Amino acid sequence: MNKSHAPAAQKGVLGMLIDDHREAQRLFKEFKSAKDPARQEEIVRHACTALTAHTKIEEEHFYPFLRDADPDAFGSLLDEASVEHASAKDLIAQLEAMKPADDLYEAHFTVLGEYTNHHIQEEEDELFPKVIDKAIDLRGLEKPMEDTRREAVSAKAPA
């Protein structure tokens, strides 16, 4: 989905989420070409932090808002998204406890990328168009989502 096609009432929030999606896709692609274990670890840490912040803003703001706005239209999509988030969080926790030299490190990150790409496709092909079609005004979510993202990123920053 191209964020420029979103109407004003959805553009800020959907644009933020789409930007997150593109960053995650870029990091997974970059990991594939990185040969240096230190660089791989840097990419994994960055991706885990970004994905943690992304899931937090969706779970605390975006998903509940949509569920309240129209439970029948969004319920099953949001249920699936929540399960996908749980799988991603589990892989993130495992990756955060690993080092690049560990067995299955690359496999964990590759699977996280596959799950993430599936999640992105469902959001951009099904959920976001439904939000636009139903003309749901998301403008009130933008600042709380930005604040939550900032808090989540700073909480994951090394001390």
Side-chain angles (χ1 to χ4, degrees):
M1 168 176 245
N2 185 330
K3 67 183 180 180
S4 66
H5 296 147
Q10 294 97 21
K11 188 174 235 137
V13 167
L14 295 185
M16 179 189 318
L17 298 174
I18 290 168
D19 287 345
D20 286 355
H21 292 169
R22 296 304 167 268
E23 178 185 18
Q25 290 171 321
R26 179 187 59 77
L27 290 167
F28 287 113
K29 185 177 181 182
E30 191 176 332
F31 181 85
K32 287 181 183 179
S33 61
K35 301 299 177 212
D36 175 47
R39 180 65 187 135
Q40 287 180 326
E41 186 173 27
E42 183 181 314
I43 293 166
V44 169
R45 299 285 175 232
H46 184 133
C48 288
T49 298
L51 290 170
T52 297
H54 181 80
T55 59
K56 190 168 180 65
I57 65 174
E58 286 188 334
E59 290 172 357
E60 290 184 9
H61 302 287
F62 188 57
Y63 293 170
F65 185 84
L66 294 180
R67 196 176 295 276
D68 288 346
D70 193 335
D72 293 333
F74 296 109
S76 64
L77 285 171
L78 298 175
D79 290 345
E80 285 180 34
S82 294
V83 172
E84 290 165 356
H85 279 196
S87 297
K89 287 185 212 177
D90 183 49
L91 283 168
I92 288 168
Q94 291 176 52
L95 281 160
E96 289 177 334
M98 300 174 85
K99 295 286 182 205
D102 291 345
D103 288 343
L104 305 179
Y105 184 79
E106 287 186 38
H108 278 79
F109 195 66
T110 299
V111 170
L112 178 60
E114 291 168 355
Y115 285 1
T116 300
N117 281 324
H118 173 78
H119 182 74
I120 288 169
Q121 183 177 8
E122 285 189 343
E123 283 192 344
E124 293 187 16
D125 293 349
E126 296 176 48
L127 184 62
F128 295 175
K130 194 173 277 196
V131 169
I132 292 169
D133 288 347
K134 294 200 163 282
I136 295 178
D137 190 338
L138 303 174
R139 289 177 283 208
L141 290 179
E142 197 166 352
K143 183 171 178 354
M145 287 172 66
E146 288 170 354
D147 292 345
T148 297
R149 172 196 312 288
R150 210 172 3 268
E151 291 167 12
V153 169
S154 65
K156 297 270 272 180

